[in-house]
Amino acid sequence: MKIRTVALVILGIIIADQALKIWVKTSMSYGEQIFLLGRSLRLYFIENEGMAWGWKFGGDGGKLALTIFRLIAVIFGVYYIRSIIQKKYHRGFILCVAMIFAGALGNLIDSMFYGMIFSGSGDGQPLATMFPHGGGYASFLHGKVVDMIYAPIIENKILPSWIPFWGGERFTFFSPIFNIADASISVGVISILVFQKRFFKKGFLEESPVTLPKDEMKDTVKVYSDQ
């Protein structure tokens, strides 16, 4: 696979991810929902201050450490993708790694720059604007990741009373709100796990045949015939 093909895949994911994030950030109020396929698929604007699932990581210092870690991981990813292309890894594996890399880079862009180029979003606040007068809502490396895709399979149902500990409580199955970058990472990781035998198969038939020089081949045949 050519580096240009991988670069186009990564660029396509980044453009789609950032375009949707910018539209949501500047067109939707914080917490607003837009129903796309009934209640099973919707846009639901929130911002993630830390890691996946909305976890936080030690305040501003933890946020900075997490962003720097993401940056280091992305830099390493550039060299890793180049390496597996040069070593001619399975095409599917290279594409999966490219998807993971693109997702990580997409969220890194939010963490690095969104705090500087957008005004803040929150309950009761007006729509965010790009490049607001007076600066953005946070400094470099302290931006929040924009999430918006919500696809609950079971939502706000009451569990049967006979279930231990949680009986009678309200329950939602598949509650995370994510973005295109998160989805790209998840699809890449799951595909590697599912198709790992195909990606890393090293059978006899897949190995390049060894061609001996004619003189060496004759000597080898003579040795076996003498035996």
Side-chain angles (χ1 to χ4, degrees):
M1 178 176 289
K2 297 181 179 180
I3 294 179
R4 182 178 63 179
T5 303
V6 176
L8 289 175
V9 171
I10 294 172
L11 183 62
I13 294 172
I14 293 295
I15 291 175
D17 177 64
Q18 290 299 312
L20 182 57
K21 286 176 176 176
I22 292 173
W23 184 85
V24 167
K25 177 74 174 174
T26 57
S27 303
M28 296 179 63
S29 301
Y30 193 82
E32 181 182 352
Q33 299 185 52
I34 298 177
F35 295 88
L36 303 176
L37 294 176
R39 301 189 65 86
S40 60
L41 178 63
R42 67 192 82 163
L43 296 179
Y44 189 157
F45 174 34
I46 65 167
E47 288 180 312
N48 183 353
E49 296 185 7
M51 300 179 290
W53 305 89
W55 293 345
K56 297 183 180 181
F57 189 64
D60 290 341
K63 172 64 177 176
L64 178 62
L66 180 61
T67 303
I68 292 175
F69 173 78
R70 286 172 174 164
L71 178 59
I72 294 173
V74 166
I75 294 172
F76 169 78
V78 173
Y79 291 97
Y80 183 69
I81 290 176
R82 181 180 178 183
S83 174
I84 62 177
I85 292 175
Q86 291 176 342
K87 293 178 181 178
K88 300 185 184 302
Y89 274 58
H90 192 285
R91 180 185 180 91
F93 177 70
I94 296 174
L95 288 176
C96 288
V97 173
M99 292 178 67
I100 296 171
F101 175 84
L105 180 57
N107 286 334
L108 177 63
I109 292 172
D110 296 29
S111 297
M112 292 179 66
F113 302 113
Y114 272 30
M116 298 189 301
I117 66 176
F118 287 108
S119 60
S121 298
D123 294 332
Q125 293 187 14
L127 295 179
T129 58
M130 293 187 70
F131 306 109
H133 180 71
Y137 66 83
S139 59
F140 181 56
L141 300 178
H142 286 83
K144 301 176 183 178
V145 177
V146 176
D147 293 324
M148 78 296 290
I149 303 174
Y150 185 40
I153 298 174
I154 300 173
E155 184 182 20
N156 201 26
K157 300 297 182 181
I158 298 178
L159 292 173
S161 58
W162 51 265
I163 296 179
F165 305 109
W166 298 286
E169 296 185 2
R170 294 192 174 276
F171 168 75
T172 297
F173 178 68
F174 199 70
S175 60
I177 303 172
F178 54 97
N179 54 47
I180 292 176
D182 297 330
S184 181
I185 294 172
S186 298
V187 171
V189 171
I190 293 172
S191 296
I192 290 175
L193 294 176
V194 172
F195 299 107
Q196 57 181 308
K197 291 184 178 180
R198 179 180 301 178
F199 291 166
F200 304 111
K201 184 177 180 181
K202 292 184 179 180
F204 174 78
L205 295 177
E206 293 180 340
E207 297 179 358
S208 300
V210 177
T211 304
L212 297 175
K214 290 183 178 180
D215 293 340
E216 186 175 343
M217 186 178 298
K218 290 179 181 179
D219 294 339
T220 304
V221 172
K222 186 176 182 302
V223 170
Y224 278 98
S225 38
D226 291 342
Q227 293 177 352

